[in-house]
Every structure is written in structure tokens, then in C-alpha cells.
């Protein structure tokens, strides 16, 4: 379809320039200057339109403008603690997912136009698309207010965990688009393990379980202030709640690993296989 469109556009432009050229050569001497200007404008406009709306190799094309709604969002900015109430976080999660969804077509366009290596362009575009789908699903999936289990606190905690995931996936997707726009590789920018709604995790501290280190914001590196979710016994840190999806809980929404968001993207696509004694197993990707 794209090749047919490009061929028709090229034929139309050629016909236009040819007709204008014939007009210029047959024009009376008194009109030769005006006819030459018309020919030049016709050729310039045809070339500009071909470069803008086709994929023909007519010189290096710069990426499109990062066309997010204005003002540009600061997806790294911390969000207010919902204090166990999903509805307090829902507007922020929906807005973040909407911003990424509005820009989802940008990732596909930049996959063909920016100057990064083709493999990296494809990976970043895939990050943006997967993150957009996951963020939208995480916003829709919570059924807070419609009991799905005998324990209302369980439903509330699950909904809160999904909305936090929506916020983090939106951040991953928007960062991937920013990398495509600026033509720079995606850099690690993990959340705070203790509370993913805090500032980004720029330091590494021991994990509460003692199994390794995790990213933490500067405040939580000094004194952890975990995101708490409801439970039958009272509020507990999200990483100790069975109601929060095991993938996000075990990955700390991406704070446990040291990558650029690839682990969260892989978890969204393939999940985590339970390891021995109920621990987190190795994250595996599909090979078929």
C-alpha cells in the first residue's frame, strides 16, 4: 500500500513539474521570467511534499516533532501518596496513560526516521507500544468498587497496585519516545523501590528481604517510607501484599533490576515464573 501511494505521488509530482516546464519553455519572451519562477516553485513544492508524505529516499529526513499535548508532561515528577485509596491515584494514572496513548503513533513514525541503529529504533518503538497497552489495561483492569473477592481490602490493594503499574509503564513508554525524538539510547531511570510514586531511584540500598540491592529515592535511602496498601490486618507495604500483582511486587516496579525498563516490558509480555519456595523465578522471554 505504501509503495503504491509513493509511486502515485511520484508520478503526480513528475507530471506537475513536466507540465510546468513545458509551459515555461513555450511562454512568450515577455513572460519567461514569471514562467521560470513558477517552474522553480512547482519543483520545490513537489520535492517538499514528497519528502514529507512519502518514504522515497530524497535526502535525510529529520524526526517529527515530539507532538505531545502541551504543556509537556514531567513524567518523572513524584505523585501524591494515595494513602490506600485507589481513587486518589486514578486521575493521575489515567492522565499518564492517555498521554502515552496520544503519542503512540509517534513511536511507529520515528522507528523509520530517526538516526539510531535500526535494532534500537525497533526496540524503543516496541517499548512505547507495549507500555501504552499495559498502562491502558492497568487503568481499566482495577474493579475497585465491584467486589471480586470476600475481602474488600484485597480488591482495594489490587486496584491500587495496578494503577501504580499504569503510572510506571506510562513513564517507561514516554521515556522510550523521548529517546527516539532526541536520537539517544534509553538510559536506566528506575523508580523508588519503597514507593514508586516518589522521586526516581537514583541510589541503591539493601532490599528489605536482604536478597540484593534496589533503587531508592534520596529520602527513602535515608529512611524508607513505603507505599502502603490495605489488608485485613491493616495497611502493609505493597511488596508484602499478596493482592498486588506478583510481577510488580517482585520487580519493585522495575527498581530491583538495573536495566532501562526492559525487565518490566518483558514481565508485561511474559510474566514471572514462580521460583523455589514461592520466590521470584528467573524472568524468561518467549523464544517461539
Amino acid at each position: 500500500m505504501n509503495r503504491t501511494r509513493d509511486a502515485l505521488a511520484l508520478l503526480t509530482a513528475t507530471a506537475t513539474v513536466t507540465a510546468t516546464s513545458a509551459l515555461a519553455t513555450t511562454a512568450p519572451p515577455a513572460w519567461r521570467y514569471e514562467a521560470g519562477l513558477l517552474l522553480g516553485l512547482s519543483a520545490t513544492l513537489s520535492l517538499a511534499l514528497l519528502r514529507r508524505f512519502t518514504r522515497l529516499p530524497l535526502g535525510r529526513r529529520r524526526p517529527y516533532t515530539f507532538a505531545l499535548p502541551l504543556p509537556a508532561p514531567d513524567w518523572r515528577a513524584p505523585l501524591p501518596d494515595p494513602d490506600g485509596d485507589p481513587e486518589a491515584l486514578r486521575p493521575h494514572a489515567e492522565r499518564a496513560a492517555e498521554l502515552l496513548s496520544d503519542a503512540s503513533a509517534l513511536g511507529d513514525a520515528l522507528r523509520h526516521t530517526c538516526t539510531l541503529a535500526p535494532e534500537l529504533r525497533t526496540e524503543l518503538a516496541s517499548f512505547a507500544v507495549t507500555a501504552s497497552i499495559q498502562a491502558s489495561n492497568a487503568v481499566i483492569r482495577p474493579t475497585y468498587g465491584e467486589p471480586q473477592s470476600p475481602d474488600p481490602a484485597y480488591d482495594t490493594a489490587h486496584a491500587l497496585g495496578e494503577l501504580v503499574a499504569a503510572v510506571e509503564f506510562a513513564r517507561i513508554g514516554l521515556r522510550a519516545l523521548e529517546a527516539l525524538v532526541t536520537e539517544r539510547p534509553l538510559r536506566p531511570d528506575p523508580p523508588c523501590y519503597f514507593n514508586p510514586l516518589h522521586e526516581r531511584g537514583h541510589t541503591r540500598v539493601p532490599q528489605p528481604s536482604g536478597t540484593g540491592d534496589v533503587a531508592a529515592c534520596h529520602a527513602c535511602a535515608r529512611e524508607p517510607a513505603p507505599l502502603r496498601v490495605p489488608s485485613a490486618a491493616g495497611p502493609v507495604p505493597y511488596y508484602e501484599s499478596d493482592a498486588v500483582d506478583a510481577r510488580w511486587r517482585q520487580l519493585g516496579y522495575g527498581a530491583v533490576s538495573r536495566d532501562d525498563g526492559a525487565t518490566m516490558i518483558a514481565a508485561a509480555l511474559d510474566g514471572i515464573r514462580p521460583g523455589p519456595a514461592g520466590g521470584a523465578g528467573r524472568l524468561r522471554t518467549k523464544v517461539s
Side-chain angles (χ1 to χ4, degrees):
M1 183 65 181
N2 286 334
R3 291 182 179 178
T4 302
R5 183 191 63 190
D6 292 350
L8 290 175
L10 181 59
L11 288 174
T12 302
T14 302
T16 301
V17 173
T18 301
T20 308
S21 177
L23 177 64
T25 56
T26 59
W31 293 94
R32 289 288 173 83
Y33 178 75
E34 289 79 2
L37 286 179
L38 181 61
L39 175 59
L41 289 174
S42 174
T44 302
L45 181 60
S46 296
L47 179 61
L49 292 175
L50 287 174
R51 291 187 63 185
R52 177 61 180 85
F53 295 106
T54 71
R55 300 183 187 278
L56 296 172
L58 300 172
R60 182 176 181 272
R61 294 189 294 172
R62 299 297 301 171
Y64 297 121
T65 302
F66 191 27
L68 280 179
L70 296 177
D74 182 4
W75 52 85
R76 295 178 181 85
L79 296 178
D81 194 316
D83 196 23
D85 179 14
E87 296 309 309
L89 183 60
R90 185 180 298 279
H92 301 282
E94 290 179 343
R95 177 59 175 159
E98 182 182 359
L99 281 172
L100 181 56
S101 178
D102 288 346
S104 60
L106 182 63
D108 184 61
L110 292 175
R111 183 166 61 88
H112 301 286
T113 60
C114 79
T115 61
L116 294 174
E119 297 80 6
L120 182 56
R121 283 183 283 168
T122 300
E123 181 183 35
L124 291 174
S126 176
F127 270 33
V129 172
T130 303
S132 179
I133 294 172
Q134 188 64 39
S136 298
N137 288 344
V139 168
I140 296 172
R141 189 177 303 134
T143 53
Y144 177 66
E146 300 177 10
Q148 301 294 308
S149 71
D151 183 5
Y154 184 98
D155 294 336
T156 303
H158 176 74
L160 188 55
E162 291 298 302
L163 291 171
V164 173
V167 171
E168 188 56 35
F169 274 108
R171 285 169 168 166
I172 292 173
L174 288 168
R175 283 172 48 229
L177 290 178
E178 181 186 57
L180 284 168
V181 169
T182 59
E183 301 183 333
R184 297 173 182 172
L186 187 62
R187 296 181 179 180
D189 187 29
C192 173
Y193 174 83
F194 298 97
N195 190 332
L197 303 179
H198 284 176
E199 295 179 352
R200 309 306 288 170
H202 297 298
T203 60
R204 305 290 297 188
V205 299
Q207 191 170 359
S209 62
T211 57
D213 61 359
V214 294
C217 67
H218 294 302
C220 285
R222 295 191 299 268
E223 183 178 354
L227 173 69
R228 297 184 179 275
V229 298
S231 74
V236 297
Y238 79 90
Y239 43 80
E240 296 179 3
S241 172
D242 291 338
V244 177
D245 191 304
R247 296 172 294 173
W248 321 143
R249 180 162 35 94
Q250 293 166 6
L251 291 175
Y253 291 97
V256 173
S257 58
R258 293 175 178 265
D259 59 38
D260 53 12
T263 304
M264 283 289 284
I265 293 294
L269 293 173
D270 198 39
I272 292 180
R273 302 174 187 273
R282 184 176 171 210
L283 188 68
R284 308 185 183 202
T285 55
K286 297 178 180 177
V287 294
S288 60

